[in-house]
Protein backbone atom coordinates (compact mmCIF):
# COMPACT_ATOMS: atom_id res chain seq x y z
CA UNK A 1 0.00 0.00 0.00
CA UNK A 2 1.64 3.16 -1.15
CA UNK A 3 1.71 6.28 0.90
CA UNK A 4 0.99 9.81 -0.34
CA UNK A 5 3.90 12.22 -0.84
CA UNK A 6 4.87 14.59 1.91
CA UNK A 7 2.47 17.54 2.15
CA UNK A 8 3.71 20.94 1.12
CA UNK A 9 2.28 22.55 4.29
CA UNK A 10 1.14 25.59 2.35
CA UNK A 11 -2.28 27.13 2.45
CA UNK A 12 -3.99 28.29 -0.74
CA UNK A 13 -2.93 31.77 -1.81
CA UNK A 14 -6.29 33.25 -0.90
CA UNK A 15 -6.04 31.97 2.67
CA UNK A 16 -2.38 32.51 3.60
CA UNK A 17 -2.88 36.02 4.97
CA UNK A 18 -6.35 35.70 6.43
CA UNK A 19 -5.49 33.00 8.97
CA UNK A 20 -2.95 35.36 10.60
CA UNK A 21 -5.47 38.21 11.03
CA UNK A 22 -6.43 37.21 14.61
CA UNK A 23 -2.76 37.23 15.60
CA UNK A 24 -2.19 40.66 14.04
CA UNK A 25 -5.43 42.02 15.53
CA UNK A 26 -4.21 41.33 19.08
CA UNK A 27 -1.60 44.17 19.17
CA UNK A 28 -4.17 46.58 17.70
CA UNK A 29 -6.59 45.71 20.50
CA UNK A 30 -4.15 46.81 23.21
CA UNK A 31 -4.29 50.63 22.63
CA UNK A 32 -8.03 50.36 21.99
CA UNK A 33 -8.54 48.63 25.34
CA UNK A 34 -6.23 51.11 27.09
CA UNK A 35 -8.50 53.92 25.97
CA UNK A 36 -11.32 52.54 28.15
CA UNK A 37 -9.29 51.30 31.12
CA UNK A 38 -8.36 53.30 34.22
CA UNK A 39 -4.94 55.05 34.12
CA UNK A 40 -3.44 52.63 36.66
CA UNK A 41 -4.17 49.53 34.50
CA UNK A 42 -1.81 48.84 31.57
CA UNK A 43 -1.97 46.01 28.99
CA UNK A 44 1.30 46.70 27.21
CA UNK A 45 2.94 43.59 28.74
CA UNK A 46 0.41 41.43 26.85
CA UNK A 47 2.03 42.40 23.55
CA UNK A 48 4.64 39.68 24.02
CA UNK A 49 1.94 36.98 23.65
CA UNK A 50 1.17 37.45 19.91
CA UNK A 51 4.88 37.99 19.31
CA UNK A 52 5.77 34.68 20.97
CA UNK A 53 3.03 32.85 19.08
CA UNK A 54 4.26 34.26 15.78
CA UNK A 55 7.84 33.19 16.54
CA UNK A 56 6.65 29.67 17.36
CA UNK A 57 4.36 29.08 14.37
CA UNK A 58 4.83 31.76 11.69
CA UNK A 59 7.66 32.44 9.26
CA UNK A 60 10.21 35.24 9.58
CA UNK A 61 8.23 37.74 7.52
CA UNK A 62 5.01 37.31 9.51
CA UNK A 63 6.95 37.40 12.78
CA UNK A 64 8.51 40.70 11.69
CA UNK A 65 5.06 42.12 10.85
CA UNK A 66 3.78 41.04 14.28
CA UNK A 67 6.79 42.68 15.98
CA UNK A 68 6.21 45.97 14.15
CA UNK A 69 2.51 45.91 15.06
CA UNK A 70 3.37 45.24 18.70
CA UNK A 71 5.82 48.14 18.76
CA UNK A 72 3.28 50.43 17.07
CA UNK A 73 0.63 49.37 19.59
CA UNK A 74 2.96 50.21 22.47
CA UNK A 75 3.67 53.64 20.98
CA UNK A 76 -0.04 54.29 20.38
CA UNK A 77 -1.00 53.22 23.91
CA UNK A 78 1.68 55.47 25.42
CA UNK A 79 0.71 58.39 23.18
CA UNK A 80 -2.94 58.30 24.15
CA UNK A 81 -1.94 58.34 27.84
CA UNK A 82 0.68 61.05 27.20
CA UNK A 83 3.49 58.86 28.62
CA UNK A 84 5.46 58.29 25.43
CA UNK A 85 8.62 60.03 26.67
CA UNK A 86 8.58 58.60 30.17
CA UNK A 87 11.42 56.42 31.33
CA UNK A 88 9.09 53.46 31.94
CA UNK A 89 7.72 53.46 28.36
CA UNK A 90 11.17 53.94 26.80
CA UNK A 91 12.46 50.93 28.71
CA UNK A 92 9.44 48.90 27.58
CA UNK A 93 10.06 49.89 23.97
CA UNK A 94 13.74 48.93 24.20
CA UNK A 95 12.86 45.58 25.79
CA UNK A 96 10.29 44.90 23.07
CA UNK A 97 12.81 45.69 20.32
CA UNK A 98 15.43 43.40 21.89
CA UNK A 99 12.90 40.59 22.36
CA UNK A 100 11.67 40.97 18.79
CA UNK A 101 15.24 40.78 17.47
CA UNK A 102 15.97 37.61 19.41
CA UNK A 103 12.71 35.99 18.32
CA UNK A 104 13.35 36.89 14.67
CA UNK A 105 16.76 35.22 14.88
CA UNK A 106 15.21 32.15 16.51
CA UNK A 107 12.49 32.05 13.83
CA UNK A 108 15.07 32.22 11.05
CA UNK A 109 17.03 29.35 12.60
CA UNK A 110 13.83 27.31 13.02
CA UNK A 111 12.90 27.88 9.36
CA UNK A 112 16.34 26.73 8.23
CA UNK A 113 16.09 23.57 10.31
CA UNK A 114 12.58 22.89 9.00
CA UNK A 115 13.78 23.18 5.41
CA UNK A 116 16.63 20.78 6.11
CA UNK A 117 14.27 18.34 7.83
CA UNK A 118 11.84 18.51 4.91
CA UNK A 119 14.62 17.71 2.44
CA UNK A 120 15.87 14.82 4.56
CA UNK A 121 12.32 13.49 4.96
CA UNK A 122 11.66 13.68 1.23
CA UNK A 123 14.93 11.90 0.42
CA UNK A 124 14.17 9.23 3.03
CA UNK A 125 10.64 8.76 1.70
CA UNK A 126 11.92 8.43 -1.86
CA UNK A 127 14.62 5.93 -0.84
CA UNK A 128 12.20 3.82 1.17
CA UNK A 129 9.67 3.88 -1.68
CA UNK A 130 12.29 2.50 -4.05
CA UNK A 131 13.31 -0.19 -1.55
CA UNK A 132 9.80 -1.37 -0.62
CA UNK A 133 7.81 -0.99 -3.82
CA UNK A 134 4.02 -1.18 -3.48
CA UNK A 135 2.51 -4.45 -4.64
CA UNK A 136 0.26 -4.41 -7.71
CA UNK A 137 -3.46 -4.97 -7.35
CA UNK A 138 -3.34 -7.71 -9.99
CA UNK A 139 -0.56 -10.04 -11.15
CA UNK A 140 -1.13 -13.11 -13.29
CA UNK A 141 -4.09 -15.03 -11.88
CA UNK A 142 -3.97 -13.16 -8.57
CA UNK A 143 -5.70 -10.19 -7.01
CA UNK A 144 -3.72 -8.68 -4.16
CA UNK A 145 -4.05 -6.27 -1.27
CA UNK A 146 -1.45 -5.40 1.33
CA UNK A 147 -0.65 -3.12 4.22
CA UNK A 148 2.54 -2.26 6.07
CA UNK A 149 3.04 -0.48 9.38
CA UNK A 150 6.51 0.56 10.56
CA UNK A 151 6.93 0.84 14.31
CA UNK A 152 9.19 3.90 14.13
CA UNK A 153 7.35 7.18 13.76
CA UNK A 154 7.81 8.77 10.36
CA UNK A 155 9.30 5.67 8.75
CA UNK A 156 7.72 4.01 5.75
CA UNK A 157 9.46 0.69 6.30
CA UNK A 158 11.12 -1.12 9.16
CA UNK A 159 12.21 -4.68 9.73
CA UNK A 160 9.60 -6.44 7.54
CA UNK A 161 9.66 -6.93 3.79
CA UNK A 162 7.65 -8.13 0.83
CA UNK A 163 8.12 -8.16 -2.93
CA UNK A 164 6.49 -9.65 -6.01
CA UNK A 165 8.08 -10.65 -9.31
CA UNK A 166 6.44 -11.97 -12.46
CA UNK A 167 8.35 -14.99 -13.76
CA UNK A 168 7.46 -16.78 -17.03
CA UNK A 169 3.96 -18.22 -16.50
CA UNK A 170 4.04 -17.74 -12.70
CA UNK A 171 3.98 -15.17 -9.93
CA UNK A 172 6.68 -15.32 -7.27
CA UNK A 173 6.34 -13.53 -3.96
CA UNK A 174 8.34 -13.17 -0.76
CA UNK A 175 7.38 -11.93 2.69
CA UNK A 176 9.89 -11.77 5.51
CA UNK A 177 10.95 -10.41 8.86
CA UNK A 178 14.50 -9.36 9.71
CA UNK A 179 16.01 -9.81 13.13
CA UNK A 180 15.41 -6.58 14.97
CA UNK A 181 12.90 -3.91 14.08
CA UNK A 182 12.63 -0.40 12.83
CA UNK A 183 15.12 1.48 10.66
CA UNK A 184 18.07 -0.46 12.04
CA UNK A 185 17.03 -3.50 10.00
CA UNK A 186 16.80 -1.72 6.64
CA UNK A 187 20.25 -2.91 5.52
CA UNK A 188 19.25 -6.56 5.85
CA UNK A 189 15.91 -5.83 4.17
CA UNK A 190 17.71 -4.31 1.20
CA UNK A 191 19.95 -7.40 0.96
CA UNK A 192 17.04 -9.84 0.83
CA UNK A 193 14.88 -7.78 -1.54
CA UNK A 194 17.77 -7.23 -3.93
CA UNK A 195 18.66 -10.92 -3.96
CA UNK A 196 15.04 -11.95 -4.50
CA UNK A 197 14.39 -9.53 -7.36
CA UNK A 198 17.64 -10.52 -9.05
CA UNK A 199 17.19 -14.28 -8.76
CA UNK A 200 13.42 -14.61 -9.23
CA UNK A 201 13.76 -14.29 -13.01
CA UNK A 202 16.74 -16.56 -13.49
CA UNK A 203 15.69 -19.87 -11.92
CA UNK A 204 13.13 -22.21 -13.41
CA UNK A 205 12.33 -23.90 -10.07
CA UNK A 206 11.42 -22.50 -6.69
CA UNK A 207 14.09 -24.71 -5.09
CA UNK A 208 16.74 -23.15 -7.32
CA UNK A 209 15.51 -19.69 -6.38
CA UNK A 210 15.61 -20.56 -2.68
CA UNK A 211 19.16 -21.90 -2.91
CA UNK A 212 20.39 -18.82 -4.76
CA UNK A 213 18.58 -16.56 -2.32
CA UNK A 214 20.24 -18.18 0.69
CA UNK A 215 23.65 -18.10 -0.98
CA UNK A 216 23.44 -14.42 -1.92
CA UNK A 217 22.01 -13.28 1.42
CA UNK A 218 24.59 -15.22 3.45
CA UNK A 219 27.44 -13.83 1.36
CA UNK A 220 26.18 -10.26 1.59
CA UNK A 221 25.63 -10.43 5.36
CA UNK A 222 29.12 -11.87 5.85
CA UNK A 223 30.62 -8.95 3.91
CA UNK A 224 28.64 -6.15 5.50
CA UNK A 225 29.41 -6.50 9.21
CA UNK A 226 31.18 -3.53 10.81
CA UNK A 227 33.12 -5.26 13.56
CA UNK A 228 30.27 -5.25 16.04
CA UNK A 229 29.78 -8.79 17.42
CA UNK A 230 26.01 -8.25 17.32
CA UNK A 231 26.25 -7.79 13.56
CA UNK A 232 28.21 -10.91 12.66
CA UNK A 233 26.42 -13.33 10.32
CA UNK A 234 25.40 -15.73 13.07
CA UNK A 235 23.49 -12.92 14.75
CA UNK A 236 21.85 -11.53 11.59
CA UNK A 237 19.14 -13.39 9.75
CA UNK A 238 15.77 -12.98 8.06
CA UNK A 239 12.82 -15.34 8.30
CA UNK A 240 10.91 -15.52 5.03
CA UNK A 241 8.28 -17.36 3.06
CA UNK A 242 8.73 -17.65 -0.71
CA UNK A 243 5.77 -18.63 -2.88
CA UNK A 244 5.23 -19.47 -6.51
CA UNK A 245 1.73 -19.48 -8.02
CA UNK A 246 1.64 -20.89 -11.58
CA UNK A 247 -0.73 -19.28 -14.06
CA UNK A 248 -1.99 -22.54 -15.58
CA UNK A 249 -1.85 -25.02 -12.70
CA UNK A 250 -4.38 -25.07 -9.79
CA UNK A 251 -1.70 -25.22 -7.11
CA UNK A 252 0.94 -23.14 -5.34
CA UNK A 253 4.41 -23.90 -3.99
CA UNK A 254 5.83 -22.67 -0.68
CA UNK A 255 9.31 -22.70 0.83
CA UNK A 256 9.60 -21.44 4.39
CA UNK A 257 12.80 -20.05 5.82
CA UNK A 258 11.55 -20.35 9.40
CA UNK A 259 8.66 -17.99 8.74
CA UNK A 260 5.13 -18.06 10.13
CA UNK A 261 2.75 -20.36 8.21
CA UNK A 262 0.49 -18.63 5.66
CA UNK A 263 -3.23 -19.16 6.07
CA UNK A 264 -5.11 -20.84 3.21
CA UNK A 265 -8.77 -19.81 2.96
CA UNK A 266 -10.78 -22.38 0.99
CA UNK A 267 -14.51 -21.82 1.27
CA UNK A 268 -15.25 -21.51 4.99
CA UNK A 269 -12.11 -23.39 6.02
CA UNK A 270 -8.88 -21.77 7.26
CA UNK A 271 -5.77 -23.96 7.11
CA UNK A 272 -2.31 -22.92 8.36
CA UNK A 273 0.25 -24.15 5.80
CA UNK A 274 2.72 -25.75 8.17
CA UNK A 275 5.96 -26.87 6.54
CA UNK A 276 7.17 -30.12 8.14
CA UNK A 277 10.88 -29.32 7.70
CA UNK A 278 11.38 -25.59 7.22
CA UNK A 279 14.72 -24.28 6.03
CA UNK A 280 16.83 -22.17 8.40
CA UNK A 281 16.26 -18.42 8.22
CA UNK A 282 18.08 -16.63 5.43
CA UNK A 283 21.65 -15.98 6.48
CA UNK A 284 21.88 -19.15 8.60
CA UNK A 285 21.88 -21.72 5.79
CA UNK A 286 25.46 -22.74 6.57
CA UNK A 287 24.32 -24.06 9.97
CA UNK A 288 22.25 -26.86 8.45
CA UNK A 289 21.99 -28.55 5.07
CA UNK A 290 18.68 -28.06 3.30
CA UNK A 291 17.33 -29.31 -0.02
CA UNK A 292 14.71 -26.57 -0.16
CA UNK A 293 11.89 -28.94 -1.06
CA UNK A 294 8.72 -26.88 -1.57
CA UNK A 295 5.36 -27.62 -0.02
CA UNK A 296 2.84 -27.92 -2.86
CA UNK A 297 -0.83 -27.36 -2.08
CA UNK A 298 -4.05 -26.94 -4.03
CA UNK A 299 -4.85 -23.31 -4.84
CA UNK A 300 -7.82 -22.76 -7.14
CA UNK A 301 -10.24 -20.06 -8.18
CA UNK A 302 -11.72 -18.23 -5.18
CA UNK A 303 -9.07 -19.48 -2.72
CA UNK A 304 -7.18 -16.88 -0.71
CA UNK A 305 -3.82 -16.79 1.05
CA UNK A 306 -3.08 -14.60 4.06
CA UNK A 307 0.63 -13.84 4.48
CA UNK A 308 1.81 -11.95 7.55
CA UNK A 309 4.70 -11.21 9.89
CA UNK A 310 4.91 -11.61 13.65
CA UNK A 311 3.92 -7.98 14.15
CA UNK A 312 0.37 -9.24 13.53
CA UNK A 313 0.25 -12.44 15.58
CA UNK A 314 2.39 -11.11 18.44
CA UNK A 315 0.39 -7.92 18.91
CA UNK A 316 -0.96 -7.94 22.46
CA UNK A 317 -4.09 -6.56 24.01
CA UNK A 318 -3.98 -4.72 27.38
CA UNK A 319 -4.12 -8.08 29.21
CA UNK A 320 -1.12 -9.44 27.30
CA UNK A 321 -3.00 -11.85 25.01
CA UNK A 322 -1.71 -12.31 21.45
CA UNK A 323 -3.86 -11.46 18.45
CA UNK A 324 -5.62 -14.69 17.29
CA UNK A 325 -5.34 -14.14 13.55
CA UNK A 326 -6.44 -17.63 12.43
CA UNK A 327 -9.53 -17.50 14.66
CA UNK A 328 -10.55 -14.02 13.54
CA UNK A 329 -10.09 -14.76 9.83
CA UNK A 330 -12.53 -17.67 10.12
CA UNK A 331 -15.38 -15.15 10.37
CA UNK A 332 -14.27 -13.24 7.26
CA UNK A 333 -13.69 -15.97 4.69
CA UNK A 334 -16.09 -14.32 2.25
CA UNK A 335 -14.11 -11.07 2.08
CA UNK A 336 -12.12 -10.06 -0.98
CA UNK A 337 -8.42 -9.14 -0.48
CA UNK A 338 -8.82 -5.39 -0.05
CA UNK A 339 -11.79 -5.73 2.32
CA UNK A 340 -10.07 -8.50 4.29
CA UNK A 341 -6.89 -6.42 4.74
CA UNK A 342 -8.95 -3.49 6.01
CA UNK A 343 -10.96 -5.73 8.33
CA UNK A 344 -7.86 -7.36 9.85
CA UNK A 345 -6.16 -3.97 10.23
CA UNK A 346 -9.13 -2.44 12.04
CA UNK A 347 -9.55 -5.50 14.24
CA UNK A 348 -5.84 -5.49 15.08
CA UNK A 349 -5.98 -1.85 16.16
CA UNK A 350 -9.04 -2.58 18.29
CA UNK A 351 -7.23 -5.55 19.84
CA UNK A 352 -4.13 -3.59 20.87
CA UNK A 353 -5.97 -0.42 21.85
CA UNK A 354 -2.92 1.60 20.79
CA UNK A 355 0.12 1.62 18.53
CA UNK A 356 1.81 -1.63 17.55
CA UNK A 357 5.02 -2.65 19.31
CA UNK A 358 6.60 -4.22 16.21
CA UNK A 359 6.68 -3.72 12.45
CA UNK A 360 3.80 -5.40 10.65
CA UNK A 361 3.26 -6.60 7.06
CA UNK A 362 0.08 -8.24 5.79
CA UNK A 363 -0.75 -9.53 2.29
CA UNK A 364 -3.90 -11.22 1.02
CA UNK A 365 -3.95 -12.96 -2.38
CA UNK A 366 -6.96 -14.36 -4.18
CA UNK A 367 -6.91 -16.76 -7.11
CA UNK A 368 -9.14 -15.31 -9.83
CA UNK A 369 -8.90 -18.24 -12.23
CA UNK A 370 -8.06 -16.02 -15.21
CA UNK A 371 -4.73 -14.64 -16.26
CA UNK A 372 -4.20 -10.94 -16.90
CA UNK A 373 -0.67 -10.17 -18.01
CA UNK A 374 -0.96 -6.45 -17.47
CA UNK A 375 -0.51 -5.20 -13.93
CA UNK A 376 -2.94 -2.73 -12.48
CA UNK A 377 -0.97 -0.81 -9.89
Amino acid sequence: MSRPPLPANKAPKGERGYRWMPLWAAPIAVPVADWFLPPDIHLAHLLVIPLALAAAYADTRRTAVTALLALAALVAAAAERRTLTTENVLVQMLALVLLSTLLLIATRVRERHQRQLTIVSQVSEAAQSVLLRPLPRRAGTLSLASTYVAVETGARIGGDLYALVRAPDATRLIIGDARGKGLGAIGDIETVLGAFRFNAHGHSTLSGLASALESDVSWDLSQSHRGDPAEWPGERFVTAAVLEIPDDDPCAHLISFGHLPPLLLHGKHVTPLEVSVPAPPLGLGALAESEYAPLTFRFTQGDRLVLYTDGVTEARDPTGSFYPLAERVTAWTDQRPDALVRRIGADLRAHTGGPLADDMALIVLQHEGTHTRAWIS
Side-chain angles (χ1 to χ4, degrees), residues 152-183:
E152 292 196 15
T153 303
R156 186 177 187 269
I157 64 174
D160 292 350
L161 64 95
Y162 54 64
L164 183 147
V165 171
R166 279 291 296 162
D169 300 321
T171 299
R172 287 175 171 174
L173 185 142
I174 186 172
I175 185 170
D177 185 359
R179 177 181 177 270
K181 61 184 178 181
L183 295 175

Side-chain angles (χ1 to χ4, degrees), residues 305-365:
L305 279 173
V306 179
L307 313 175
Y308 54 95
T309 59
D310 60 10
V312 176
T313 53
E314 294 184 3
R316 298 173 181 264
D317 65 10
T319 67
S321 299
F322 292 118
Y323 180 70
L325 177 63
E327 297 177 15
R328 299 296 179 91
V329 169
T330 304
W332 306 321
T333 54
D334 59 339
Q335 300 285 323
R336 288 192 56 80
D338 52 353
L340 184 53
V341 164
R342 289 194 299 268
R343 180 65 65 89
I344 294 174
D347 192 53
L348 187 61
R349 290 190 295 271
H351 178 80
T352 59
L356 298 177
D358 196 2
D359 304 311
M360 180 272 282
L362 175 68
I363 306 171
V364 177
L365 337 167

Side-chain angles (χ1 to χ4, degrees), residues 158-161 176-181 185-186 188-189 192 237-239 359:
D160 292 350
L161 64 95
D177 185 359
R179 177 181 177 270
K181 61 184 178 181
I186 285 183
D188 295 347
I189 297 302
V192 175
F237 55 85
V238 179
T239 66
D359 304 311

Side-chain angles (χ1 to χ4, degrees), residues 25-368:
I28 300 174
V30 169
V32 174
D34 268 359
W35 180 270
F36 299 97
L37 293 175
D40 58 334
I41 298 178
H42 302 280
L43 300 180
H45 56 281
L46 296 180
L47 292 171
V48 299
I49 296 177
L51 186 56
L53 290 174
Y57 300 106
D59 57 19
T60 304
R61 181 173 61 86
R62 292 185 176 91
T63 302
V65 171
T66 306
L68 291 175
L69 288 174
L71 184 61
L74 179 60
V75 171
E80 69 183 11
R81 290 174 180 253
R82 295 186 177 87
T83 58
L84 183 59
T85 58
T86 62
E87 183 176 339
N88 181 46
V89 171
L90 292 176
V91 170
Q92 290 182 19
M93 292 174 61
L94 178 61
L96 187 59
V97 169
L98 290 176
L99 177 62
S100 299
T101 302
L102 292 175
L103 290 178
L104 283 170
I105 294 173
T107 302
R108 189 62 180 267
V109 172
R110 173 175 59 80
E111 280 188 306
R112 186 182 301 116
H113 289 169
Q114 285 179 337
R115 284 195 295 269
Q116 293 173 347
L117 181 60
T118 299
I119 293 173
V120 170
S121 298
Q122 290 174 340
V123 171
S124 175
E125 181 77 9
Q128 294 180 54
S129 297
V130 170
L131 183 59
L132 191 71
R133 303 168 192 168
L135 297 180
R137 293 167 50 195
R138 183 74 185 259
T141 59
L142 305 175
S143 293
L144 302 95
S146 63
T147 187
Y148 192 111
V149 177
V151 69
E152 292 196 15
T153 303
R156 186 177 187 269
I157 64 174
D160 292 350
L161 64 95
Y162 54 64
L164 183 147
V165 171
R166 279 291 296 162
D169 300 321
T171 299
R172 287 175 171 174
L173 185 142
I174 186 172
I175 185 170
D177 185 359
R179 177 181 177 270
K181 61 184 178 181
L183 295 175
I186 285 183
D188 295 347
I189 297 302
E190 185 273 334
T191 295
V192 175
L193 290 175
F196 175 76
R197 288 169 180 149
F198 177 79
N199 288 291
H201 296 282
H203 295 272
S204 59
T205 66
L206 193 62
S207 298
L209 168 60
S211 180
L213 191 60
E214 166 58 36
S215 176
D216 288 359
V217 170
S218 294
W219 181 87
D220 193 283
L221 293 182
S222 70
Q223 299 297 312
S224 61
H225 69 80
R226 296 183 290 272
D228 186 347
E231 294 186 350
W232 283 84
E235 296 294 331
R236 296 171 60 190
F237 55 85
V238 179
T239 66
V242 182
L243 291 102
E244 180 180 84
I245 299 97
D247 294 337
D248 302 318
D249 198 359
C251 67
H253 312 288
L254 165 69
I255 291 179
S256 175
F257 294 91
H259 196 69
L260 298 167
L263 302 178
L264 173 62
L265 279 60
H266 177 75
K268 297 292 184 180
H269 301 285
V270 178
T271 304
L273 297 173
E274 299 281 359
V275 177
S276 57
V277 185
L282 292 168
L284 300 181
L287 302 180
E289 295 185 2
S290 177
E291 298 180 356
Y292 302 112
L295 168 68
T296 299
F297 56 94
R298 186 169 179 80
F299 190 55
T300 60
Q301 184 173 2
D303 289 349
R304 272 144 293 158
L305 279 173
V306 179
L307 313 175
Y308 54 95
T309 59
D310 60 10
V312 176
T313 53
E314 294 184 3
R316 298 173 181 264
D317 65 10
T319 67
S321 299
F322 292 118
Y323 180 70
L325 177 63
E327 297 177 15
R328 299 296 179 91
V329 169
T330 304
W332 306 321
T333 54
D334 59 339
Q335 300 285 323
R336 288 192 56 80
D338 52 353
L340 184 53
V341 164
R342 289 194 299 268
R343 180 65 65 89
I344 294 174
D347 192 53
L348 187 61
R349 290 190 295 271
H351 178 80
T352 59
L356 298 177
D358 196 2
D359 304 311
M360 180 272 282
L362 175 68
I363 306 171
V364 177
L365 337 167
Q366 179 165 324
H367 198 300
E368 298 295 351

